Amino acid sequence: MKAKITTALAAFFIAINLSAQTELSLNISNLLFNEAQVTYEKGLNDYLSFGAFASFVYDLPPTENNQFVNRNFYFGPEIKYYVSPKKGFDRFFIGFYLKQSVGTVSINENYYSWWFDPNLPTENTTSAYSKLAFGLNLGSKWVAKNNIIYGLNFGVGRNLYSNYENETFRDYYFNQRPAAENFDFRFGFSLGYR
């Protein structure tokens, strides 16, 4: 009986120590680019947090200024280290993330009705793709008195793999957007609640 009570008390005190603050936030700035991104973050201690993010890019605006229309879903885990927190995992951070993307990219017909490109593929002008990236994320986050959080972040990563179903379109896409072949980018202004 004493062993059961001791185990229960130990589990209770461990649970108290593990019940760090959690946050849920929305990337407000990316809504301007037709992307909805949410982030969940749990503080492991004042300096370290673990989280996850998910985003649905429901269409980069198809205007004549954009060559391609990209629709995708991406998600992944991230870990952040806060350099000098004041209110527990806040202020400047450096972190790492893993990002899995699945979606389709296609030629924007509005763009090519204005600009002619002789190298433009005439068939199969779309491709489904998936890619995985590993990256570095930098930013800062602040906590208001009413537990509202707001912050900025910028991340850059390297694609570990990318798979495009349509190889002809992939080659054309990478010729037009060489950074898309090897690099991944994240940015935003977030607003949320702790």
Side-chain angles (χ1 to χ4, degrees), residues 58-80:
Y58 44 91
D59 208 5
L60 288 173
T63 67
E64 62 273 4
N65 296 325
N66 294 318
Q67 272 181 290
F68 301 99
V69 177
N70 193 346
R71 294 180 181 96
N72 66 65
F73 174 73
Y74 65 82
F75 59 93
E78 63 184 331
I79 190 162
K80 295 177 183 174

Side-chain angles (χ1 to χ4, degrees), residues 4-88:
K4 289 181 180 178
I5 292 174
T6 305
T7 304
L9 286 174
F12 174 75
F13 287 113
I14 289 172
I16 288 174
N17 288 332
L18 293 178
S19 64
Q21 297 167 328
T22 58
E23 299 174 349
L24 189 63
S25 60
L26 176 66
N27 189 333
I28 301 296
S29 62
N30 286 11
L31 290 173
L32 299 172
F33 302 106
N34 296 351
E35 176 183 345
Q37 180 186 11
V38 282
T39 302
Y40 170 82
E41 188 175 356
K42 183 170 186 71
L44 301 176
N45 58 43
D46 284 351
Y47 293 90
L48 194 63
S49 74
F50 178 78
F53 58 89
S55 179
F56 178 60
V57 179
Y58 44 91
D59 208 5
L60 288 173
T63 67
E64 62 273 4
N65 296 325
N66 294 318
Q67 272 181 290
F68 301 99
V69 177
N70 193 346
R71 294 180 181 96
N72 66 65
F73 174 73
Y74 65 82
F75 59 93
E78 63 184 331
I79 190 162
K80 295 177 183 174
Y81 176 77
Y82 291 85
V83 177
S84 58
K86 282 191 173 180
K87 297 181 180 179

Side-chain angles (χ1 to χ4, degrees), residues 53-128:
F53 58 89
S55 179
F56 178 60
V57 179
Y58 44 91
D59 208 5
L60 288 173
T63 67
E64 62 273 4
N65 296 325
N66 294 318
Q67 272 181 290
F68 301 99
V69 177
N70 193 346
R71 294 180 181 96
N72 66 65
F73 174 73
Y74 65 82
F75 59 93
E78 63 184 331
I79 190 162
K80 295 177 183 174
Y81 176 77
Y82 291 85
V83 177
S84 58
K86 282 191 173 180
K87 297 181 180 179
F89 67 104
D90 67 340
R91 298 176 54 182
F92 179 76
F93 66 83
I94 182 169
F96 296 98
Y97 68 90
L98 197 62
K99 178 178 166 184
Q100 174 70 51
S101 303
V102 178
T104 60
V105 62
S106 60
I107 288 175
N108 181 2
E109 293 177 7
N110 292 335
Y111 179 87
Y112 287 103
S113 66
W114 288 92
W115 311 102
F116 175 72
D117 183 354
N119 298 320
L120 180 68
T122 55
E123 298 178 2
N124 298 326
T125 57
T126 187
S127 180

